[in-house]
């Protein structure tokens, strides 16, 4: 791709975001989208210090490099193999650190991006906020609901930007899906069935010098809630977004039923989130069958949206009765024939396999767009509106789901959360 | 009305496919009124979501009583009461407990001496078509054919080309064979069968004879024509679950309108069909 091609693709992508976010009600439902797609102000790039250079951290670095307003100005990781890979994406003279506090003290940055294991998010975020830096932290927010709340509270107390990575919020397909749902195309949304199914262990090979708990931190409860925080968080955010509200309670069940390899997080979960007026989100995630993959089936009285597939489906209306169609044609032709009718009618309630219509607009660089929004927020001192609430409630929903599974009982939505 | 085009409405209601074919009237309000009438009956009689019927079921499920405010539900109860008597108890949407029921028409209070609930089933379709016919007639429609799931049919007025509506009921298993051919005008037709598409599928409710609780599994098709859909539905259901004595009594009362066809022959057999009336 040439620079011109990239610029054209970027403009097309931003135009689609703007178009998708311009519908009725969209300014309230996705206030960040239009603002993030606005032109970037001129001025020096925001210097970013990245804490955590594992797979996700390196992906974020590559996206930061695509932005028009950010630059990676420092790297921090205490695991040399990861750092060595990350340095390939930044200038050779980029300062590197093994202790995040040293990077914060070095003063060569304007903001911090955090891509460390989940249990470290809160400490790294709060340390950065206390040092006076705006923070972009990968989802999920933190290992506990209390830490999620503390991150928000501390950002407010320090008057600093806190933004959490949820790329679907910037995906034009999702924005267009929300626009069409808000326009009433699928009727009243009463159920969302979301799943993230994979058929692999989720276990990573440990490179020389690495430890099981450092590399495979997603598999251990003291570091992660596994499927709930690493996968479900994305889809619970989408669910809250399309439901236009928050759950009232959650119930669930989980087990380690296939990958009995020493991990202590569930490899299979099934949960029901209740919303107001009896609406429900049904969530499942598993690691030994990938047929149904990652999807949110957003179901209303008039249709269904599947944003990962980028499809919208209308409810199927019954087909014509052939005998009555013939009768009608006969009458029009002046023929009076016997109408054969009266056979028992039975419609098998099998899954409907109509192809639906395209929502259009495949994904592009929504992660990059998040960073451009973050960069502008850092420059202006004003957060991108709406994002933090979406991320906070998604993390709370995932962690509350884990608690409901652990306790084997339905749990009410917490009453002591931060409000927005 | 030679060459008349039909106005058609097709929609899902009452768990099935509804088609309304109206001739000689271009006013879309007519079809809209008929559709609304059907949906109103569905709202009143459904047991698949909260409705006046589920509310009444809640009240009577412990043998209590309730005042029925909904006029459609109350009208259905009154009609069913007459049809229950007329069929000797063979049509009973309370699964054999109708005798425990008292309907006070003045106060609209319904009470039961034992726990019971209602599932109006196919009766609801006939009752809904009756309401739709009434709505079409009020709109000045001279001719119409209405179908609810193809097993509940109502015809309004004459065929658009004049005379009766010629209808034929196909054999449920033998393609191309007809069980009976009927000529109808301002009438309804109902077909009930223990065989045919989906009849043997898991989860399909069995036919039960209300008078003794027996599950009716004999392969047969019952056909009833009557002045109203409600009556036709009650009679086809009663015929299907009837014993030979009751069957003969019901058929003898209107031999050109009531039929019970056993399907003892293997599917596809060449042997002649054996209508009992």
């Amino acid at each position: 791709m040439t620079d011109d091609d990239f610029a054209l693709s970027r403009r097309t992508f931003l135009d689609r975001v703007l178009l998708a976010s311009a519908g009725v009600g969209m300014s309230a439902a996705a206030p960040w989208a239009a603002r993030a797609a606005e032109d970037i102000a001129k001025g020096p790039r925001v210097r970013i210090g990245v804490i955590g250079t594992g797979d996700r951290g390196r992906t974020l670095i590559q996206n930061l490099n695509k932005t028009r307003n950010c630059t990676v100005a420092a790297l921090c990781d205490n695991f040399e193999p990861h750092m060595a890979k990350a340095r390939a994406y930044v200038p050779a003279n980029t300062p590197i650190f093994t202790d995040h506090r040293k990077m914060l003290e070095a003063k060569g940055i304007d903001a911090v991006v955090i891509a460390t294991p989940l249990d470290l998010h809160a400490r790294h975020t709060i340390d950065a906020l206390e040092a006076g830096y705006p923070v972009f932290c990968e989802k999920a927010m933190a290992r506990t609901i209390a830490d999620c709340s503390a991150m928000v509270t501390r950002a407010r107390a320090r008057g600093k930007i806190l933004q959490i990575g949820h790329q679907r919020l910037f995906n034009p397909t999702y924005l267009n899906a929300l626009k069409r749902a808000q326009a009433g195309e699928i009727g009243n949304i009463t159920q969302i069935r979301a799943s993230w199914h994979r058929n692999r262990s989720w276990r990573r090979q440990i490179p020389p010098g690495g430890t099981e708990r450092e590399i495979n931190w997603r598999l251990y409860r003291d570091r992660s809630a596994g499927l709930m925080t690493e996968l479900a968080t994305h889809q619970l955010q989408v669910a809250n977004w399309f439901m236009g509200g928050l759950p009232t309670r959650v119930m669930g069940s989980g087990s380690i039923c296939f990958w009995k390899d020493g991990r202590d997080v569930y490899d299979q979960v099934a949960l029901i989130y209740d919303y107001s007026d009896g609406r429900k989100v049904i969530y499942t995630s598993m690691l030994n069958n990938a047929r149904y993959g990652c999807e949110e089936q957003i179901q209303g009285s008039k249709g269904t949206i599947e944003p990962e597939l980028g499809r919208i489906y209308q409810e199927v209306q019954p087909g014509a009765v052939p005998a009555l169609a013939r009768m009608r044609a006969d009458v029009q032709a002046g023929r009076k024939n016997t109408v054969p009718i009266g056979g028992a009618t039975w419609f098998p309630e099998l899954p409907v396999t109509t192809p639906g219509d395209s929502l259009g607009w495949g994904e592009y660089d929504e992660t990059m767009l998040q960073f451009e929004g973050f960069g502008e927020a850092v420059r202006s001192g004003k957060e991108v509106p709406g994002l933090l609430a979406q991320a906070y409630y998604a993390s709370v929903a995932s962690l509350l789901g884990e608690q409901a599974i652990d306790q084997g009982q339905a749990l009410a939505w917490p009453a002591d959360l931060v409000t927005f | 009305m030679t060459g008349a085009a039909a106005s058609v409405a097709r929609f899902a209601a009452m768990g099935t496919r509804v088609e309304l074919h109206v001739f000689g009237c271009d006013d879309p309000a007519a079809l809209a009124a008929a559709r609304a009438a059907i949906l109103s009956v569905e709202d009143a009689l459904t047991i698949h979501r909260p409705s006046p019927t589920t509310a009444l079921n809640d009240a009577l499920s412990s043998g209590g009583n309730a005042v029925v405010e909904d006029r459609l539900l109350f009208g259905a109860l009154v009609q069913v009461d007459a049809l229950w008597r007329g069929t000797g108890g063979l049509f009973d949407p309370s699964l054999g407990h109708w005798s425990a029921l008292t309907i006070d028409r003045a106060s609209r209070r319904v009470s039961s001496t034992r726990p019971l609930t209602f599932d109006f089933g196919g009766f609801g379709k006939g009752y809904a078509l009756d309401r739709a016919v009434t709505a079409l007639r009020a709109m000045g429609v001279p001719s119409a054919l209405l179908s609810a799931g193809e097993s509940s049919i109502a015809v309004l007025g004459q065929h658009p080309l004049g005379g009766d509506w010629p209808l034929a009921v196909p054999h449920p298993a033998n393609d191309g064979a007809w069980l009976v051919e009927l000529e109808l005008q301002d009438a309804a037709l109902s077909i009930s069968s223990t065989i045919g598409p989906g009849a043997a599928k898991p989860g399909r409710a069995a036919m039960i004879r209300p008078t003794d609780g027996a599950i009716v599994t004999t392969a047969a098709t019952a056909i009833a024509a009557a002045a109203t859909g409600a009556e036709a539905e009650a009679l086809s259901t009663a015929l299907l679950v009837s014993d030979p004595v009751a069957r003969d009594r019901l058929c003898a009362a209107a031999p050109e309108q009531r039929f019970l066809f056993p399907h003892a022959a293997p599917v596809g057999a060449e042997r002649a069909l054996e209508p009992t009336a």
Side-chain angles (χ1 to χ4, degrees):
Chain A
M1 178 181 277
T2 67
D3 285 350
D4 284 348
D5 290 338
F6 179 74
L8 183 62
S9 299
R10 170 198 223 89
R11 190 62 256 165
T12 303
F13 173 70
L14 295 179
D15 285 346
R16 287 169 177 171
V17 170
L18 283 168
L19 188 61
S21 57
V24 175
M26 289 296 286
S27 60
W32 55 85
R35 179 162 159 198
E38 288 172 358
D39 283 339
I40 298 297
K42 293 193 186 313
R45 287 174 178 258
V46 176
R47 298 170 300 167
I48 302 289
V50 178
I51 306 175
T53 59
D55 286 347
R56 186 61 185 162
R58 294 196 297 276
T59 298
L60 298 187
I61 290 167
Q62 292 174 71
N63 277 282
L64 283 163
N65 287 342
K66 294 177 188 172
T67 65
R68 296 166 293 171
N69 59 354
C70 298
T71 186
V72 177
L75 298 176
C76 176
D77 203 311
N78 59 7
F79 188 53
E80 172 54 27
H82 284 170
M83 179 66 89
K85 290 180 181 177
R87 292 184 71 179
Y89 297 111
V90 297
N93 61 348
T94 302
I96 60 171
F97 301 86
T98 56
D99 183 330
H100 71 285
R101 289 164 297 190
K102 299 291 185 191
M103 185 183 83
L104 299 175
E105 290 166 3
K107 300 294 183 187
I109 57 176
D110 302 310
V112 172
V113 167
I114 296 167
T116 50
L118 180 65
D119 62 315
L120 301 176
H121 283 185
R123 179 155 67 88
H124 289 159
T125 295
I126 289 171
D127 284 352
L129 291 168
E130 287 299 325
Y133 292 111
V135 172
F136 178 103
C137 181
E138 258 304 297
K139 70 84 213 148
M141 284 184 76
R143 184 63 189 89
T144 67
I145 293 174
D147 275 350
C148 295
S149 300
M151 289 164 69
V152 177
T153 304
R154 196 66 61 95
R156 286 179 173 175
R158 296 286 296 167
K160 295 298 176 186
I161 306 293
L162 174 61
Q163 187 172 322
I164 308 297
H166 274 282
Q167 65 265 32
R168 284 168 178 76
L169 293 167
F170 292 85
N171 183 314
T173 302
Y174 275 83
L175 289 165
N176 194 32
L178 184 69
K179 179 180 178 178
R180 295 181 69 166
Q182 296 237 331
E185 285 194 43
I186 62 168
N188 185 22
I189 297 169
T190 56
Q191 185 179 110
I192 297 175
R193 195 166 56 179
S195 62
W196 202 322
H197 294 186
R198 291 174 165 173
N199 195 348
R200 57 180 189 266
S201 71
W202 214 10
R203 177 175 290 287
R204 298 179 182 206
Q205 193 167 5
I206 301 169
T211 65
E212 167 72 3
R213 297 253 167 184
E214 284 300 319
I215 301 302
N216 285 312
W217 56 270
R218 293 171 185 81
L219 306 184
Y220 298 99
R221 297 176 68 98
D222 57 342
R223 309 216 66 185
S224 166
L227 298 172
M228 293 307 300
T229 44
E230 309 314 318
L231 300 183
T233 317
H234 286 295
Q235 296 168 294
L236 295 172
Q237 179 271 311
V238 171
N240 290 341
W241 198 18
F242 279 78
M243 285 294 197
L246 300 173
T248 55
R249 67 169 184 167
V250 56
M251 59 200 89
S253 175
S255 58
I256 304 171
C257 71
F258 189 83
W259 297 104
K260 302 175 191 292
D261 57 1
R263 72 187 62 198
D264 60 15
V265 299
Y266 304 121
D267 67 359
Q268 181 165 171
V269 296
L271 304 102
I272 300 172
Y273 289 83
D274 280 340
Y275 287 71
S276 61
D277 300 324
R279 299 173 300 156
K280 300 186 192 317
V281 169
I282 300 168
Y283 186 79
T284 63
S285 187
M286 64 190 295
L287 291 174
N288 62 296
N289 183 298
R291 177 175 171 81
Y292 295 102
C294 171
E295 187 56 276
E296 300 93 38
Q297 299 164 330
I298 301 163
Q299 301 168 83
S301 53
K302 296 180 181 174
T304 301
I305 287 174
E306 294 178 351
E308 288 290 329
L309 286 173
R311 309 297 291 178
I312 181 169
Y313 312 87
Q314 298 305 311
E315 285 291 278
V316 174
Q317 295 303 309
V321 180
L324 296 182
R326 279 195 298 276
M327 177 271 290
R328 222 166 46 244
D330 282 345
V331 169
Q332 195 149 17
R335 297 188 299 263
K336 183 178 176 183
N337 288 328
T338 298
V339 182
I341 191 167
T345 305
W346 182 75
F347 298 111
E349 292 182 325
L350 299 173
V352 176
T353 56
T354 51
D357 299 316
S358 173
L359 284 166
W361 308 342
E363 66 183 82
Y364 178 59
D365 272 339
E366 56 267 25
T367 302
M368 177 277 295
L369 195 59
Q370 286 189 100
F371 281 131
E372 289 200 340
F374 178 64
E376 291 306 281
V378 172
R379 285 170 159 180
S380 67
K382 295 178 183 174
E383 67 178 13
V384 183
L387 288 182
L388 186 56
Q390 287 281 338
Y392 174 67
Y393 291 133
S395 286
V396 170
S398 69
L399 292 164
L400 189 67
E402 181 199 31
Q403 291 178 23
I405 294 172
D406 290 346
Q407 296 176 29
Q409 60 185 21
L411 296 182
W413 187 251
D416 58 349
L417 298 178
V418 175
T419 55
F420 292 84
Chain B
M1 270 187 279
T2 301
S7 302
V8 183
R10 181 183 308 114
F11 53 95
M14 313 190 87
T16 192
R17 164 175 57 184
V18 175
E19 279 199 6
L20 313 177
H21 297 253
V22 168
F23 297 87
C25 176
D26 295 332
D27 186 352
L31 275 176
R35 177 180 179 142
I38 289 169
L39 296 179
S40 296
V41 171
E42 180 180 25
D43 289 343
L45 302 192
T46 185
I47 57 170
H48 301 292
R49 51 186 160 85
S51 71
T53 298
T54 59
L56 182 58
N57 282 347
D58 287 344
L60 299 185
S61 61
S62 54
N65 64 82
V67 172
V68 178
E69 302 285 358
D70 186 88
R71 64 180 181 83
L72 289 173
L73 173 57
F74 192 75
L77 290 168
V78 169
Q79 284 205 36
V80 169
D81 194 50
L83 293 165
W84 173 75
R85 294 173 201 283
T87 59
L90 286 170
F91 172 66
D92 183 347
S94 71
L95 277 180
H97 304 317
W98 199 271
S99 60
L101 204 66
T102 302
I103 302 173
D104 186 324
R105 297 188 184 214
S107 66
R108 303 170 77 93
R109 182 171 295 281
V110 176
S111 54
S112 175
T113 56
R114 58 158 298 154
L116 62 79
T117 56
F118 304 114
D119 179 354
F120 291 103
F123 170 85
K125 292 194 294 177
Y127 185 61
L129 292 185
D130 291 342
R131 309 295 302 187
V133 165
T134 300
L136 291 173
R137 194 169 278 133
M139 297 293 291
V141 171
S143 175
L145 186 151
L146 318 181
S147 165
E150 295 100 84
S151 58
S152 303
I153 298 107
V155 292
L156 186 165
Q158 292 190 348
H159 186 278
L161 300 178
D164 292 342
W165 290 83
L167 304 177
V169 178
H171 190 288
N174 295 348
D175 285 347
W178 292 352
L179 293 174
V180 68
E181 190 169 357
L182 297 163
E183 302 271 338
L184 299 179
Q185 193 173 139
D186 284 323
L189 178 66
S190 170
I191 299 95
S192 296
S193 185
T194 55
I195 67 170
K201 295 292 181 185
R204 180 79 177 236
M207 294 298 296
I208 294 174
R209 182 184 300 129
T211 48
D212 61 6
I215 295 176
V216 179
T217 57
T218 306
T221 297
I223 300 168
T228 68
E231 189 180 1
E233 294 294 333
L235 286 166
S236 71
T237 302
L239 279 170
L240 193 62
V241 301
S242 61
D243 58 27
V245 173
R247 176 196 65 201
D248 290 346
R249 177 176 58 79
L250 288 170
C251 288
E256 300 303 318
Q257 294 183 307
R258 302 175 190 178
F259 310 88
L260 181 67
F261 296 94
H263 303 302
V267 171
E270 294 300 323
R271 191 156 64 91
L273 301 171
E274 298 171 341
T276 58

